[in-house]
Amino acid sequence: MSVTLHKKFQLLLVALIFTALTLWGSVDSARATTNDYVVTEIPNAPILIQSVIEYHGVTYTDGRDKNTGLDHMYSFDGTSFTEVPGSSGMTNPIIFNDKLIAIGSPPSSFEQHVYEFDGTTIRDLVNVGGLSTYDIFAIFNGYLYIGNNNSATNYETYKYNGSGTPTRVSSLPIGLETPVIYGNKMYARGWHNPGIYDLYSIDASDTVTQITTDIAPIMLSVVNNKLYYFGYINYQ
């Protein structure tokens, strides 16, 4: 029986097989066989691939160079991987406003930056420096929300409309994580004194409502048109 695989699925399958073989310590060219087809390792493939995305007709992945141990973003033409220049540390890219957005770290640095890639040029959007830990938070109401879990900068949250630079929004809860868009609002957990996470809703005008008290919600999900989450009662 002949099996035809979509190129992206085939790439992901190759990456998963290659990663598994690497984790098991294999250094030989690997070949995995099923009853119907053969998948062959791509010699220059990065390891630890986390995401595969198609942008402007090109397949991009993140991954780690097995020789240098550095993370980069790569393009893939169906035969080989090519490192995107200047993409040091960039992982888990998403598409927003017809651009790739990803978190990255310069070589030999603990800083994190938010980068924008248009297929040719990489632009640094946000960099507070130090031990900033950014999170591509959510796309809501035409904006990209970006969180930063760094106590030195008070866990600021940014909004980005796709042009210029992201704007810090001091009215939003800090330490925002695990967003879910439900109805016409965004729901997420956020941090407040004395060190507790609770559930918040945020509308299109960035009006914030705290929904829970001392719950520390996790794993937000919408099922059958209802929002569910796990949490702790009287979490202190």
Side-chain angles (χ1 to χ4, degrees):
M1 178 178 62
S2 175
V3 176
T4 301
L5 296 177
H6 188 280
K7 184 174 70 176
K8 289 194 294 184
F9 176 75
Q10 187 178 29
L11 168 62
L12 181 58
L13 184 60
V14 170
L16 290 173
I17 291 172
F18 179 68
T19 301
L21 289 165
T22 302
L23 291 175
W24 281 101
S26 173
V27 295
D28 298 324
S29 293
R31 184 177 293 267
T33 305
T34 72
N35 293 332
D36 300 307
Y37 59 89
V38 174
V39 178
T40 303
E41 176 199 342
I42 301 171
N44 68 334
I47 61 175
L48 302 180
I49 291 176
Q50 300 180 63
S51 63
V52 179
I53 192 168
E54 188 169 342
Y55 173 65
H56 286 186
V58 179
T59 299
Y60 290 93
T61 78
D62 53 14
R64 180 167 299 172
D65 187 312
K66 61 183 177 182
N67 296 314
T68 66
L70 299 178
D71 294 329
H72 297 277
M73 194 162 63
Y74 297 83
S75 62
F76 179 68
D77 61 7
T79 302
S80 62
F81 290 85
T82 301
E83 179 186 317
V84 176
S87 63
S88 175
M90 291 176 63
T91 59
N92 294 308
I94 66 168
I95 296 176
F96 174 70
N97 195 41
D98 199 35
K99 305 284 178 62
L100 283 184
I101 309 290
I103 305 297
S105 300
S108 304
S109 172
F110 291 105
E111 296 179 359
Q112 281 197 327
H113 299 234
V114 181
Y115 292 107
E116 180 182 78
F117 177 56
D118 63 5
T120 302
T121 304
I122 293 177
R123 186 166 76 96
D124 195 338
L125 289 180
V126 182
N127 172 31
V128 176
L131 296 178
S132 297
T133 305
Y134 291 103
D135 181 32
I136 299 297
F137 180 64
I139 297 174
F140 174 61
N141 194 39
Y143 287 89
L144 176 68
Y145 286 75
I146 303 168
N148 177 22
N149 293 322
N150 179 10
S151 59
T153 52
N154 200 30
Y155 303 92
E156 69 273 330
T157 299
Y158 293 86
K159 285 177 64 176
Y160 180 52
N161 65 6
S163 64
T165 58
T167 302
R168 181 177 177 180
V169 185
S170 59
S171 62
L172 293 178
I174 59 178
L176 289 174
E177 298 175 342
T178 62
V180 169
I181 309 303
Y182 175 49
N184 60 354
K185 295 182 180 180
M186 175 170 60
Y187 294 81
R189 67 182 231 144
W191 184 91
H192 61 83
N193 286 320
I196 298 171
Y197 278 94
D198 270 303
L199 181 63
Y200 293 86
S201 68
I202 302 168
D203 68 13
S205 301
D206 290 331
T207 299
V208 178
T209 302
Q210 182 176 336
I211 298 174
T212 65
T213 301
D214 299 345
I215 292 294
I218 59 174
M219 299 177 64
L220 278 66
S221 181
V222 176
V223 179
N224 292 329
N225 201 34
K226 292 184 180 180
L227 177 63
Y228 293 87
Y229 60 88
F230 293 97
Y232 300 91
I233 303 300
N234 297 322
Y235 180 80
Q236 296 285 350

